[in-house]
Coordinates of all heavy atoms in Angstrom, one line a residue:
V1 N 0.8 -1.2 0.0 CA -0.1 0.1 0.0 C 0.9 1.3 0.0 O 0.7 2.2 -0.7 CB -1.0 0.0 1.3 CG1 -1.7 1.3 1.3 CG2 -1.9 -1.2 1.1
S2 N 1.9 1.2 0.8 CA 2.9 2.5 0.9 C 3.4 2.7 -0.4 O 3.6 3.9 -0.8 CB 3.9 2.3 2.0 OG 4.6 1.2 1.6
M3 N 3.9 1.8 -1.3 CA 4.3 2.1 -2.5 C 3.4 2.7 -3.4 O 3.8 3.5 -4.4 CB 5.0 0.8 -3.2 CG 6.2 0.4 -2.5 SD 7.2 -0.8 -3.5 CE 7.6 0.0 -5.0
V4 N 2.2 2.2 -3.5 CA 1.0 2.8 -4.4 C 0.8 4.2 -3.9 O 0.7 5.2 -4.7 CB -0.2 1.9 -4.3 CG1 -1.3 2.6 -5.1 CG2 0.1 0.5 -4.8
R5 N 0.7 4.5 -2.6 CA 0.6 5.9 -2.1 C 1.7 6.7 -2.5 O 1.5 7.8 -2.8 CB 0.5 5.8 -0.5 CG -0.8 5.2 -0.1 CD -1.1 5.6 1.4 NE -2.3 4.8 1.9 CZ -3.5 5.1 1.7 NH1 -3.8 6.0 0.9 NH2 -4.5 4.3 2.3
A6 N 2.9 6.3 -2.5 CA 4.0 7.1 -2.8 C 3.9 7.3 -4.4 O 4.3 8.6 -4.7 CB 5.4 6.3 -2.7
C7 N 3.2 6.6 -5.1 CA 3.0 7.0 -6.6 C 2.2 8.1 -6.7 O 2.3 8.9 -7.5 CB 2.4 5.8 -7.3 SG 3.5 4.4 -7.5
G8 N 1.2 8.2 -5.8 CA 0.3 9.4 -5.6 C 1.1 10.8 -5.4 O 0.7 11.7 -5.9
A9 N 1.9 10.7 -4.4 CA 2.8 11.8 -4.2 C 3.5 12.3 -5.3 O 3.7 13.5 -5.5 CB 3.6 11.6 -3.0
G10 N 4.0 11.4 -6.1 CA 4.8 11.7 -7.3 C 4.0 11.8 -8.7 O 4.6 11.9 -9.6
H11 N 2.7 11.6 -8.5 CA 1.9 11.7 -9.7 C 2.2 10.7 -10.6 O 2.2 10.9 -12.0 CB 1.9 13.1 -10.4 CG 1.5 14.2 -9.4 ND1 0.2 14.4 -8.9 CD2 2.3 15.2 -8.7 CE1 0.3 15.5 -8.0 NE2 1.4 15.9 -7.9
A12 N 2.4 9.6 -10.2 CA 3.0 8.4 -11.0 C 1.9 7.3 -11.2 O 2.2 6.2 -10.8 CB 4.2 7.8 -10.5
A13 N 0.6 7.6 -11.8 CA -0.4 6.6 -11.8 C 0.1 5.4 -12.7 O -0.3 4.3 -12.4 CB -1.6 7.4 -12.5
D14 N 0.7 5.6 -13.9 CA 1.1 4.6 -14.6 C 1.9 3.5 -13.8 O 1.6 2.2 -14.0 CB 1.9 4.9 -15.9 CG 1.1 5.8 -16.9 OD1 -0.2 5.6 -16.8 OD2 1.6 6.5 -17.7
F15 N 2.9 3.9 -13.0 CA 3.7 3.0 -12.2 C 2.9 2.5 -11.2 O 2.9 1.2 -10.8 CB 4.8 3.8 -11.6 CG 5.7 2.9 -10.8 CD1 6.5 1.9 -11.5 CD2 6.0 3.0 -9.4 CE1 7.4 1.2 -10.7 CE2 6.7 2.2 -8.7 CZ 7.6 1.2 -9.3
A16 N 1.8 3.0 -10.6 CA 1.0 2.4 -9.6 C 0.2 1.2 -10.2 O 0.0 0.2 -9.7 CB -0.1 3.5 -9.1
F17 N -0.3 1.5 -11.5 CA -1.0 0.3 -12.2 C -0.2 -0.7 -12.4 O -0.6 -1.9 -12.5 CB -1.8 1.0 -13.4 CG -3.0 1.6 -13.1 CD1 -3.1 2.9 -12.9 CD2 -4.2 0.8 -13.2 CE1 -4.5 3.5 -12.8 CE2 -5.5 1.5 -12.9 CZ -5.5 2.9 -12.8
E18 N 1.1 -0.5 -12.8 CA 2.1 -1.6 -13.0 C 2.2 -2.3 -11.7 O 2.5 -3.5 -11.8 CB 3.4 -1.0 -13.5 CG 3.4 -0.4 -14.9 CD 4.8 0.3 -15.3 OE1 5.8 -0.1 -14.8 OE2 4.7 1.2 -16.1
L19 N 2.3 -1.7 -10.7 CA 2.5 -2.4 -9.3 C 1.4 -3.2 -9.1 O 1.5 -4.5 -8.6 CB 2.6 -1.3 -8.1 CG 3.9 -0.6 -7.9 CD1 3.9 0.5 -7.0 CD2 5.1 -1.5 -7.7
L20 N 0.2 -2.7 -9.4 CA -1.1 -3.6 -9.2 C -0.9 -4.9 -10.2 O -1.1 -5.9 -9.7 CB -2.3 -2.8 -9.5 CG -3.6 -3.7 -9.5 CD1 -3.9 -4.0 -8.0 CD2 -4.8 -2.8 -10.1
Q21 N -0.5 -4.7 -11.3 CA -0.4 -5.8 -12.3 C 0.7 -6.7 -11.7 O 0.5 -8.0 -11.8 CB -0.1 -5.5 -13.6 CG 0.0 -6.5 -14.7 CD -1.5 -7.1 -14.8 OE1 -2.4 -6.5 -15.0 NE2 -1.4 -8.5 -14.7
Q22 N 1.7 -6.3 -11.2 CA 2.8 -7.2 -10.7 C 2.2 -8.1 -9.6 O 2.6 -9.2 -9.3 CB 4.0 -6.5 -10.3 CG 4.7 -5.9 -11.5 CD 5.9 -5.1 -10.9 OE1 6.4 -5.1 -9.7 NE2 6.6 -4.3 -11.9
M23 N 1.3 -7.3 -8.6 CA 0.7 -8.1 -7.6 C -0.2 -9.3 -8.1 O 0.0 -10.2 -7.5 CB 0.0 -7.1 -6.7 CG 0.6 -6.1 -5.9 SD -0.3 -4.9 -5.1 CE -1.0 -5.9 -3.8
K24 N -0.9 -8.9 -9.1 CA -1.7 -9.9 -9.8 C -0.9 -11.1 -10.3 O -1.3 -12.2 -10.0 CB -2.6 -9.4 -10.7 CG -3.7 -8.4 -10.4 CD -4.6 -7.8 -11.5 CE -5.8 -7.0 -10.9 NZ -6.6 -6.5 -12.0
D25 N 0.1 -10.8 -10.9 CA 1.0 -11.7 -11.6 C 1.6 -12.6 -10.6 O 1.8 -13.8 -11.0 CB 2.1 -11.0 -12.6 CG 1.6 -10.4 -13.6 OD1 0.4 -10.5 -14.1 OD2 2.3 -9.5 -14.3
R26 N 1.9 -12.2 -9.4 CA 2.5 -12.9 -8.3 C 1.5 -13.4 -7.3 O 2.0 -14.0 -6.2 CB 3.6 -12.0 -7.7 CG 4.6 -11.6 -8.6 CD 5.7 -10.8 -8.0 NE 6.8 -10.6 -9.0 CZ 7.5 -9.4 -9.1 NH1 7.3 -8.6 -8.1 NH2 8.5 -9.3 -9.9
N27 N 0.2 -13.3 -7.7 CA -0.7 -13.8 -6.7 C -0.8 -13.2 -5.4 O -1.0 -13.8 -4.5 CB -0.9 -15.3 -6.8 CG -1.3 -16.0 -8.0 OD1 -2.1 -15.4 -8.6 ND2 -0.6 -17.0 -8.4
V28 N -0.3 -11.9 -5.2 CA -0.3 -11.2 -4.1 C -1.7 -10.7 -3.8 O -2.4 -10.2 -4.7 CB 0.7 -10.1 -3.9 CG1 0.7 -9.1 -2.8 CG2 2.1 -10.6 -4.3
G29 N -2.3 -10.9 -2.6 CA -3.6 -10.4 -2.3 C -3.7 -8.9 -2.4 O -2.9 -8.2 -2.0
R30 N -4.9 -8.5 -2.9 CA -5.3 -7.2 -3.1 C -6.4 -6.8 -2.2 O -7.2 -7.7 -2.0 CB -5.6 -6.7 -4.5 CG -4.3 -6.4 -5.4 CD -4.0 -7.5 -6.4 NE -5.0 -8.3 -6.8 CZ -4.9 -9.6 -7.2 NH1 -3.9 -10.3 -6.8 NH2 -6.0 -10.3 -7.8
S31 N -6.4 -5.6 -1.6 CA -7.4 -5.3 -0.6 C -7.9 -3.9 -1.0 O -7.6 -3.1 -1.9 CB -6.8 -5.1 0.8 OG -5.9 -4.0 0.8
Y32 N -8.9 -3.6 -0.2 CA -9.6 -2.2 -0.5 C -8.7 -1.1 -0.3 O -8.7 0.0 -1.0 CB -10.8 -1.9 0.5 CG -12.0 -2.7 0.3 CD1 -12.3 -3.9 1.2 CD2 -12.8 -2.3 -0.7 CE1 -13.4 -4.4 1.0 CE2 -13.9 -3.1 -1.0 CZ -14.2 -4.1 -0.1 OH -15.4 -4.9 -0.3
H33 N -7.6 -1.2 0.6 CA -6.6 -0.2 0.8 C -5.7 -0.1 -0.5 O -5.4 1.1 -0.8 CB -5.7 -0.6 1.9 CG -6.4 -0.8 3.2 ND1 -6.9 0.4 3.9 CD2 -6.7 -1.8 3.9 CE1 -7.6 -0.1 5.0 NE2 -7.4 -1.4 5.0
I34 N -5.4 -1.0 -1.2 CA -4.5 -1.1 -2.4 C -5.3 -0.1 -3.4 O -5.0 0.8 -4.2 CB -4.3 -2.3 -3.0 CG1 -3.2 -3.0 -2.1 CG2 -3.7 -2.2 -4.4 CD1 -1.9 -2.5 -2.0
Y35 N -6.6 -0.6 -3.6 CA -7.5 0.0 -4.6 C -7.8 1.6 -4.1 O -7.8 2.4 -5.2 CB -8.8 -0.7 -4.9 CG -8.4 -2.0 -5.7 CD1 -8.5 -3.2 -5.0 CD2 -8.1 -2.0 -6.9 CE1 -8.1 -4.4 -5.8 CE2 -7.8 -3.0 -7.7 CZ -7.9 -4.2 -7.0 OH -7.6 -5.4 -7.6
G36 N -8.0 1.8 -3.0 CA -8.2 3.1 -2.5 C -7.0 3.9 -2.8 O -6.9 5.2 -3.3
A37 N -5.8 3.5 -2.4 CA -4.6 4.3 -2.8 C -4.3 4.4 -4.3 O -3.9 5.5 -4.9 CB -3.3 3.4 -2.2
L38 N -4.7 3.4 -5.2 CA -4.6 3.5 -6.6 C -5.5 4.7 -7.1 O -5.2 5.4 -7.9 CB -5.0 2.1 -7.2 CG -4.8 2.0 -8.8 CD1 -3.4 2.3 -9.3 CD2 -5.3 0.7 -9.2
A39 N -6.8 4.6 -6.6 CA -7.8 5.8 -7.0 C -7.2 7.0 -6.6 O -7.3 8.1 -7.4 CB -9.1 5.4 -6.4
D40 N -6.7 7.2 -5.4 CA -6.2 8.4 -5.0 C -5.0 8.8 -5.8 O -4.8 10.1 -6.1 CB -5.7 8.3 -3.4 CG -5.2 9.5 -2.9 OD1 -5.9 10.6 -2.9 OD2 -4.0 9.6 -2.5
T41 N -4.1 7.9 -6.3 CA -3.0 8.2 -7.1 C -3.6 8.8 -8.4 O -3.0 9.8 -8.9 CB -2.1 7.0 -7.3 OG1 -1.6 6.5 -6.0 CG2 -1.0 7.2 -8.2
C42 N -4.6 8.2 -8.9 CA -5.1 8.6 -10.2 C -5.6 10.1 -10.1 O -5.3 11.0 -10.9 CB -6.3 7.9 -10.7 SG -5.8 6.1 -11.3
M43 N -6.3 10.5 -8.9 CA -6.8 11.8 -8.7 C -5.7 12.8 -8.6 O -5.7 13.9 -9.1 CB -7.7 11.8 -7.6 CG -9.0 11.0 -7.7 SD -9.9 11.3 -9.2 CE -10.4 13.1 -8.8
R44 N -4.7 12.3 -7.9 CA -3.5 13.2 -7.7 C -2.8 13.5 -8.9 O -2.1 14.6 -9.1 CB -2.5 12.8 -6.7 CG -3.1 12.8 -5.3 CD -2.2 12.2 -4.3 NE -2.8 12.0 -2.9 CZ -2.5 12.9 -1.9 NH1 -1.7 13.9 -2.1 NH2 -2.9 12.7 -0.7
S45 N -2.9 12.6 -9.8 CA -2.2 12.7 -11.2 C -3.1 13.4 -12.2 O -2.8 13.4 -13.4 CB -1.9 11.4 -11.7 OG -0.9 10.6 -10.8
G46 N -4.4 13.8 -11.8 CA -5.2 14.5 -12.6 C -5.9 13.7 -13.7 O -6.3 14.0 -14.7
Q47 N -6.2 12.4 -13.2 CA -6.8 11.4 -14.1 C -8.1 10.8 -13.5 O -8.2 9.6 -13.0 CB -5.9 10.3 -14.3 CG -4.7 10.7 -15.1 CD -3.6 9.5 -15.3 OE1 -4.0 8.4 -15.6 NE2 -2.4 9.9 -15.2
P48 N -9.1 11.8 -13.3 CA -10.4 11.3 -12.5 C -11.1 10.1 -13.3 O -11.5 9.2 -12.7 CB -11.2 12.4 -12.6 CG -10.7 13.4 -13.6 CD -9.2 13.1 -13.7
D49 N -11.0 10.1 -14.6 CA -11.7 8.8 -15.3 C -11.0 7.7 -15.0 O -11.7 6.6 -14.8 CB -11.6 9.2 -16.9 CG -12.4 10.4 -17.2 OD1 -13.4 10.7 -16.5 OD2 -12.3 10.9 -18.3
R50 N -9.7 7.6 -14.9 CA -8.9 6.5 -14.5 C -9.3 6.1 -13.2 O -9.3 4.9 -12.8 CB -7.5 6.7 -14.7 CG -6.8 5.5 -15.1 CD -5.4 5.9 -15.5 NE -4.5 4.6 -15.7 CZ -3.3 4.6 -16.0 NH1 -2.6 5.7 -16.0 NH2 -2.6 3.4 -16.3
A51 N -9.4 6.9 -12.3 CA -9.8 6.7 -10.8 C -11.1 6.0 -10.9 O -11.2 4.9 -9.9 CB -9.9 8.0 -10.0
F52 N -12.1 6.3 -11.6 CA -13.3 5.6 -11.5 C -13.2 4.2 -12.1 O -14.0 3.3 -11.8 CB -14.4 6.4 -12.2 CG -15.0 7.5 -11.3 CD1 -14.6 8.8 -11.4 CD2 -15.9 7.2 -10.3 CE1 -15.0 9.8 -10.6 CE2 -16.4 8.1 -9.5 CZ -16.0 9.4 -9.7
S53 N -12.2 4.1 -13.0 CA -12.0 2.8 -13.7 C -11.5 1.7 -12.6 O -11.7 0.4 -12.7 CB -11.1 2.7 -14.7 OG -9.7 2.9 -14.4
V54 N -11.0 2.3 -11.5 CA -10.4 1.3 -10.3 C -11.7 0.5 -9.8 O -11.5 -0.5 -9.4 CB -9.8 2.3 -9.2 CG1 -9.5 1.6 -8.1 CG2 -8.5 2.9 -9.8
L55 N -12.9 1.1 -9.8 CA -14.0 0.4 -9.3 C -14.2 -1.0 -10.1 O -14.5 -2.0 -9.4 CB -15.3 1.2 -9.5 CG -15.3 2.5 -8.6 CD1 -16.6 3.4 -9.0 CD2 -15.1 2.2 -7.1
D56 N -14.0 -0.8 -11.4 CA -14.2 -2.0 -12.2 C -13.0 -3.2 -11.9 O -13.2 -4.3 -11.8 CB -14.1 -1.8 -13.6 CG -15.3 -1.0 -14.2 OD1 -16.4 -1.2 -13.6 OD2 -15.2 -0.2 -15.0
L57 N -11.8 -2.6 -11.5 CA -10.8 -3.5 -11.2 C -11.0 -4.1 -9.9 O -10.7 -5.3 -9.6 CB -9.5 -2.6 -11.1 CG -9.0 -2.0 -12.4 CD1 -7.7 -1.2 -12.1 CD2 -8.6 -3.1 -13.4
M58 N -11.7 -3.4 -9.0 CA -12.0 -3.9 -7.7 C -13.0 -5.1 -7.9 O -12.8 -6.2 -7.4 CB -12.6 -2.9 -6.7 CG -11.7 -1.9 -6.2 SD -12.5 -0.6 -5.3 CE -13.0 -1.5 -3.9
R59 N -14.1 -4.8 -8.7 CA -15.0 -5.9 -8.8 C -14.4 -7.1 -9.6 O -14.8 -8.3 -9.2 CB -16.2 -5.4 -9.7 CG -17.0 -4.3 -9.1 CD -18.2 -3.8 -10.1 NE -18.8 -2.8 -9.3 CZ -18.7 -1.4 -9.8 NH1 -18.0 -1.3 -10.8 NH2 -19.4 -0.4 -9.2
A60 N -13.3 -6.9 -10.5 CA -12.8 -8.0 -11.1 C -12.0 -8.9 -10.0 O -11.8 -10.1 -10.2 CB -11.8 -7.5 -12.2
D61 N -11.7 -8.2 -8.9 CA -11.0 -8.9 -7.7 C -12.1 -9.4 -6.7 O -11.6 -9.8 -5.6 CB -10.0 -8.1 -7.1 CG -8.6 -8.4 -7.6 OD1 -8.4 -9.4 -8.3 OD2 -7.6 -7.5 -7.4
F62 N -13.2 -9.4 -7.1 CA -14.3 -9.8 -6.2 C -14.4 -8.9 -4.9 O -14.8 -9.4 -3.9 CB -14.3 -11.2 -5.8 CG -14.2 -12.2 -7.0 CD1 -13.0 -12.8 -7.5 CD2 -15.3 -12.4 -7.8 CE1 -13.0 -13.5 -8.6 CE2 -15.3 -13.1 -8.9 CZ -14.2 -13.7 -9.4
L63 N -14.1 -7.8 -5.0 CA -14.2 -6.7 -4.0 C -15.3 -5.6 -4.4 O -15.3 -5.0 -5.3 CB -12.8 -5.9 -3.7 CG -11.8 -6.6 -3.2 CD1 -10.4 -5.9 -3.2 CD2 -11.9 -7.3 -1.7
Q64 N -16.3 -5.6 -3.5 CA -17.4 -4.7 -3.9 C -17.2 -3.4 -3.4 O -16.8 -3.3 -2.1 CB -18.8 -5.2 -3.3 CG -19.3 -6.4 -4.0 CD -19.7 -6.0 -5.6 OE1 -20.1 -4.9 -5.9 NE2 -19.2 -6.9 -6.4
P65 N -17.1 -2.3 -4.1 CA -17.0 -1.0 -3.6 C -18.0 -0.7 -2.7 O -19.2 -0.9 -2.9 CB -17.0 -0.1 -4.9 CG -16.8 -1.0 -6.1 CD -17.3 -2.4 -5.7
N66 N -17.6 -0.2 -1.5 CA -18.6 0.2 -0.5 C -18.8 1.7 -0.3 O -18.2 2.4 -1.2 CB -18.1 -0.5 0.9 CG -16.9 0.1 1.3 OD1 -16.3 1.0 0.8 ND2 -16.2 -0.6 2.2
E67 N -19.5 2.1 0.5 CA -20.0 3.6 0.7 C -18.7 4.4 1.0 O -18.6 5.4 0.3 CB -21.0 3.8 1.7 CG -22.4 3.2 1.6 CD -23.3 3.4 2.8 OE1 -22.9 4.0 3.6 OE2 -24.3 2.8 2.8
A68 N -17.8 3.9 1.6 CA -16.5 4.6 1.9 C -15.7 4.9 0.7 O -15.3 6.0 0.4 CB -15.9 3.9 3.0
R69 N -15.7 3.7 -0.2 CA -14.9 3.8 -1.4 C -15.5 4.9 -2.4 O -15.0 5.8 -2.9 CB -14.8 2.6 -2.1 CG -13.9 1.6 -1.3 CD -12.6 2.1 -1.0 NE -12.0 1.2 0.1 CZ -11.5 1.7 1.3 NH1 -11.2 3.0 1.4 NH2 -11.2 1.1 2.2
F70 N -16.9 4.8 -2.5 CA -17.6 5.8 -3.4 C -17.4 7.2 -2.9 O -17.3 8.2 -3.6 CB -19.1 5.4 -3.5 CG -19.3 4.3 -4.5 CD1 -19.9 3.2 -4.0 CD2 -19.0 4.4 -5.8 CE1 -20.2 2.1 -4.9 CE2 -19.2 3.4 -6.7 CZ -20.0 2.2 -6.3
S71 N -17.5 7.3 -1.5 CA -17.3 8.7 -0.9 C -16.0 9.3 -1.2 O -15.8 10.4 -1.6 CB -17.6 8.5 0.5 OG -17.4 9.8 1.2
I72 N -14.9 8.3 -1.1 CA -13.7 8.9 -1.4 C -13.4 9.3 -2.8 O -13.0 10.4 -3.0 CB -12.5 7.9 -1.0 CG1 -12.5 7.6 0.6 CG2 -11.1 8.1 -1.6 CD1 -11.8 6.4 0.9
L73 N -14.0 8.6 -3.7 CA -13.9 8.9 -5.2 C -14.7 10.2 -5.5 O -14.2 11.1 -6.2 CB -14.4 7.7 -6.0 CG -13.5 6.6 -6.2 CD1 -14.1 5.4 -6.9 CD2 -12.2 7.1 -7.0
L74 N -16.0 10.3 -4.9 CA -16.6 11.4 -5.1 C -16.0 12.7 -4.6 O -15.9 13.7 -5.2 CB -18.0 11.3 -4.6 CG -19.0 10.4 -5.3 CD1 -20.3 10.0 -4.6 CD2 -19.2 10.8 -6.7
S75 N -15.4 12.6 -3.4 CA -14.7 13.7 -2.8 C -13.5 14.2 -3.7 O -13.4 15.3 -3.9 CB -14.2 13.4 -1.5 OG -15.3 13.2 -0.6
A76 N -12.8 13.2 -4.1 CA -11.5 13.5 -4.9 C -12.0 14.0 -6.2 O -11.4 15.1 -6.7 CB -10.7 12.2 -5.1
F77 N -13.1 13.4 -6.8 CA -13.6 14.1 -8.2 C -14.0 15.5 -8.0 O -13.6 16.3 -8.8 CB -14.7 13.3 -8.7 CG -15.1 13.6 -10.0 CD1 -14.2 13.3 -11.1 CD2 -16.3 14.1 -10.4 CE1 -14.6 13.6 -12.4 CE2 -16.6 14.4 -11.6 CZ -15.7 14.2 -12.6
S78 N -14.7 15.7 -6.9 CA -15.2 17.3 -6.7 C -14.2 18.1 -6.5 O -14.2 19.3 -7.1 CB -16.3 17.3 -5.6 OG -15.6 16.9 -4.5
V79 N -13.1 17.7 -5.8 CA -11.8 18.5 -5.6 C -11.3 18.9 -6.9 O -10.9 20.0 -7.3 CB -10.8 17.9 -4.7 CG1 -9.5 18.7 -4.7 CG2 -11.5 17.9 -3.1
H80 N -11.1 17.7 -7.7 CA -10.5 18.0 -9.0 C -11.3 18.8 -10.0 O -10.9 19.7 -10.7 CB -10.3 16.7 -9.7 CG -9.7 16.7 -11.2 ND1 -8.4 16.9 -11.4 CD2 -10.3 16.5 -12.3 CE1 -8.2 17.0 -12.7 NE2 -9.4 16.8 -13.3
L81 N -12.7 18.5 -9.9 CA -13.6 19.3 -10.8 C -13.5 20.9 -10.4 O -13.4 21.6 -11.3 CB -14.9 18.8 -10.6 CG -16.1 19.5 -11.4 CD1 -16.0 19.2 -12.8 CD2 -17.5 19.1 -10.9
F82 N -13.4 21.2 -9.3 CA -13.4 22.6 -8.9 C -12.1 23.1 -9.0 O -11.8 24.4 -9.0 CB -14.0 22.8 -7.5 CG -15.4 22.6 -7.4 CD1 -15.8 21.6 -6.5 CD2 -16.4 23.4 -8.0 CE1 -17.3 21.3 -6.5 CE2 -17.7 23.1 -8.0 CZ -18.1 22.1 -7.2
A83 N -11.1 22.4 -9.2 CA -9.7 22.8 -9.4 C -9.3 23.2 -10.8 O -8.5 24.0 -11.2 CB -8.6 21.9 -8.8
V84 N -10.3 22.7 -11.7 CA -10.0 22.9 -13.2 C -10.8 24.1 -13.5 O -11.9 24.3 -13.3 CB -10.6 21.7 -14.0 CG1 -10.4 22.0 -15.5 CG2 -9.8 20.4 -13.6
P85 N -10.1 25.1 -14.3 CA -10.7 26.3 -14.7 C -11.8 26.0 -15.7 O -11.6 25.1 -16.6 CB -9.6 27.1 -15.4 CG -8.3 26.5 -15.2 CD -8.7 25.0 -14.6
H86 N -12.9 26.5 -15.5 CA -14.1 26.3 -16.5 C -14.1 27.4 -17.7 O -13.7 28.5 -17.4 CB -15.3 26.4 -15.8 CG -15.5 25.4 -14.8 ND1 -15.8 24.0 -15.1 CD2 -15.4 25.5 -13.4 CE1 -15.9 23.4 -13.9 NE2 -15.6 24.1 -13.0
R87 N -14.3 26.9 -18.9 CA -14.4 27.8 -20.0 C -15.8 28.2 -20.2 O -16.7 27.4 -19.9 CB -13.9 27.0 -21.1 CG -12.4 26.7 -21.1 CD -11.9 26.2 -22.3 NE -10.5 25.7 -22.2 CZ -9.8 24.9 -22.9 NH1 -10.4 24.4 -24.0 NH2 -8.5 24.6 -22.6
T88 N -16.0 29.2 -20.7 CA -17.4 29.8 -20.9 C -17.6 30.1 -22.3 O -16.6 30.3 -23.0 CB -17.7 31.1 -20.1 OG1 -16.7 32.1 -20.3 CG2 -17.7 30.7 -18.6

């Protein structure tokens, strides 16, 4: 989890997804914490669409996104949305 979180600090979403794939390849268990950190990394990297794709990855691992995960994503998305200048 700490390595994926570090990717968020460095805006390295691609590397975070590579770490997830390596975990899958090596049959390392994935948890809500990994996916939460991955979604956070996407948001910090300015990739909100990719953050929402994390929900599908969770489901593929038989983890159902719960209210807390949806809340985190919605909060992060709203922060990103209001940080982007709107064109008129």
Side-chain angles (χ1 to χ4, degrees):
V1 174
S2 59
M3 286 195 61
V4 175
R5 287 197 193 282
C7 291
H11 305 287
D14 290 337
F15 184 66
F17 276 91
E18 288 176 26
L19 288 173
L20 178 67
Q21 187 57 52
Q22 288 178 15
M23 291 175 73
K24 289 180 179 184
D25 293 345
R26 295 179 177 149
N27 291 323
V28 174
R30 277 95 48 210
S31 67
Y32 287 109
H33 299 290
I34 291 293
Y35 288 105
L38 185 59
D40 183 62
T41 295
C42 292
M43 294 307 299
R44 291 175 185 262
S45 299
Q47 300 176 37
D49 293 339
R50 204 168 181 192
F52 279 99
S53 75
V54 171
L55 296 173
D56 293 328
L57 296 173
M58 288 176 69
R59 288 185 190 105
D61 264 344
F62 304 103
L63 295 172
Q64 285 300 319
N66 58 20
E67 291 177 12
R69 299 298 163 227
F70 279 118
S71 177
I72 289 167
L73 282 172
L74 289 173
S75 296
F77 187 72
S78 66
V79 168
H80 177 74
L81 180 66
F82 291 113
V84 175
H86 296 284
R87 295 184 184 165
T88 55

